[in-house]
Amino acid sequence: MTDPQPKMIMVGVELFTENFPLPADVYTRLPSGQYLLVGKKGEKSNFQSLHMTAQKKAELYVRGTDYDAVIQFNLALAKTAVGKTEIPTNLKLNLITGLADSAINDLVDRKIMAGSYERVKQLSGFIKDTVSQVSDVDKLLDLLSKLPKDSASHGMATAAISLLICEQMEIQSKPTLEKVALGALLHDIGLKEIPDAVLKKPRADRTVEETTHYESHTMRGVEMLQELREIPSDVLAIILEHHENAIGMGYPRRIRDVKMNPLARIVAVANYFMELLHDTSGEHLAKTPDEAIYYMETTLGQPFNKQVFAALKEVVFAHRRV
């Protein structure tokens, strides 16, 4: 088989749970560049029998048209597993792997970041490892599994963008990066307690009461996570302040830049940028990365922390200059 059409997408072996049916045909790539079918859709996964997968050196691929089906199957399986105590935690963490791979590959496709497969796995692996270190990881995964897919995917994409901003800002402390990743991933966890009727209504059409109820998701998220052991205060601050901005026109407390948690400043920028790309508010047409930067800088008058916004622009534009 020569270079196939549509394109092939590399995927991690961890997306295929042993002895579960494959959601798509799976290939490996030979040194010649040809693709060899190693698993047919509907067959039980048995990739651990392959010598190279056993050594974690496998290069597995699916057709681009099948990629979303693989991710959705993985997420559905993980969500089913989350509430079952007999299922190992590492299988439940496939929920994070699926979300991370999907969100980060979307950033690569949108040309927001230059990404080799190794780069994608580096980011998604860091986020997964960060979540796995939470003491009440099963409870945390249960909360994530009950979020609407769009909210969970948005959280993961926001985490990835936040880490890329940190990279541009030369923030290298692992504990700090872990707090940013976890806070960004969980920033909208409070939406779980907001009725669908409010969530699906464009902001411009909401009543004052509905707007107040929606904006309470920041505090609700903090309250939900306070029940978990050892959630750092910086993570709770990110969740509370991710809708604040530098000029004091955000919510819930309308605080200015100087009073915001430094890590919340990063996630606030990443969150708004990702909202513009996916039109989560119902207020705007979904924008390209360039249009989102222009909108934040020109239409809004750049109401965010200057250093963080400059780092976001570097994330979006720097690799294009190479």
Side-chain angles (χ1 to χ4, degrees):
M1 163 178 188
T2 56
D3 292 336
Q5 293 295 330
K7 68 176 181 179
M8 305 294 276
I9 296 179
M10 190 185 287
V11 293
V13 67
E14 66 271 16
L15 287 182
F16 305 105
T17 303
E18 287 293 286
N19 297 317
F20 278 79
L22 295 171
D25 290 344
V26 182
Y27 301 81
T28 191
R29 190 175 185 179
L30 302 176
S32 64
Q34 293 182 311
Y35 292 93
L36 175 69
L37 182 68
V38 292
K40 296 186 68 174
K41 180 179 179 179
E43 291 180 348
K44 288 187 177 180
S45 172
N46 191 27
F47 295 128
Q48 296 303 326
S49 64
L50 295 177
H51 176 68
M52 58 185 175
T53 61
Q55 298 188 32
K56 299 188 182 300
K57 294 181 181 179
E59 289 189 0
L60 298 179
Y61 294 81
V62 297
R63 295 186 181 94
T65 51
D66 291 334
Y67 178 73
D68 192 58
V70 172
I71 294 298
Q72 294 309 311
F73 181 85
N74 178 267
L75 292 177
L77 182 62
K79 285 187 176 185
T80 301
V82 162
K84 297 182 178 180
T85 56
E86 70 273 16
I87 302 295
T89 299
N90 66 327
L91 176 57
K92 297 176 184 179
L93 283 167
N94 280 350
L95 173 66
I96 301 299
T97 302
L99 285 172
D101 284 2
S102 179
I104 296 171
N105 272 302
D106 179 62
L107 298 180
V108 173
D109 287 344
R110 289 170 177 266
K111 295 181 172 53
I112 296 172
M113 60 175 278
S116 63
Y117 175 74
E118 290 73 22
R119 178 64 167 143
V120 170
K121 296 308 293 183
Q122 178 188 20
L123 274 177
S124 64
F126 182 84
I127 295 169
K128 179 181 176 181
D129 290 346
T130 297
V131 172
S132 70
Q133 294 173 34
V134 175
S135 298
D136 290 330
V137 64
D138 281 356
K139 188 169 184 179
L140 179 60
L141 291 173
D142 183 58
L143 290 173
L144 279 172
S145 72
K146 292 175 181 176
L147 281 173
K149 174 183 175 291
D150 288 348
S151 294
S153 297
H154 169 72
M156 186 60 73
T158 302
I161 288 291
S162 296
L163 289 174
L164 293 172
I165 289 173
C166 288
E167 188 176 88
Q168 288 294 333
M169 295 175 68
E170 300 184 352
I171 297 173
Q172 300 176 345
S173 165
K174 189 170 183 286
T176 299
L177 295 175
E178 288 172 345
K179 292 173 186 177
V180 170
L182 191 59
L185 177 62
L186 301 174
H187 74 273
D188 273 340
I189 199 75
L191 292 179
K192 178 178 174 289
E193 297 191 354
I194 307 299
D196 283 346
V198 174
L199 292 177
K200 293 178 180 178
K201 184 181 289 190
R203 291 180 187 175
D205 296 338
R206 291 174 188 156
T207 65
V208 173
E209 291 77 12
E210 288 172 335
T211 297
T212 301
H213 195 41
Y214 174 82
E215 292 182 356
S216 73
H217 79 269
T218 54
M219 182 58 74
R220 291 172 187 266
V222 171
E223 292 170 351
M224 291 167 64
L225 290 177
Q226 281 177 331
E227 299 175 6
L228 300 182
R229 299 191 301 272
E230 300 177 16
I231 294 293
S233 58
D234 282 328
V235 171
L236 298 179
I238 288 170
I239 293 165
L240 180 64
E241 298 176 9
H242 70 272
H243 281 293
E244 303 284 5
N245 59 45
I247 62 175
M249 295 299 291
Y251 64 85
R253 296 185 294 164
R254 294 183 178 273
I255 56 176
R256 291 181 177 272
D257 189 68
V258 68
K259 292 187 177 181
M260 286 181 67
N261 178 284
L263 306 187
R265 295 173 192 156
I266 295 170
V267 176
V269 170
N271 172 58
Y272 198 89
F273 177 70
M274 292 309 304
E275 283 187 346
L276 292 176
L277 296 191
H278 291 283
D279 190 23
T280 59
S281 69
E283 290 184 323
H284 319 281
L285 294 174
K287 301 183 184 302
T288 67
D290 293 35
E291 289 170 342
I293 292 292
Y294 180 85
Y295 183 86
M296 294 171 74
E297 189 166 33
T298 304
T299 306
L300 294 184
Q302 210 302 82
F304 301 99
N305 178 273
K306 292 180 180 179
Q307 184 183 9
V308 176
F309 185 73
L312 172 65
K313 290 177 69 174
E314 282 298 304
V315 168
V316 175
F317 298 131
H319 68 275
R320 303 184 194 177
R321 298 194 290 266
V322 177

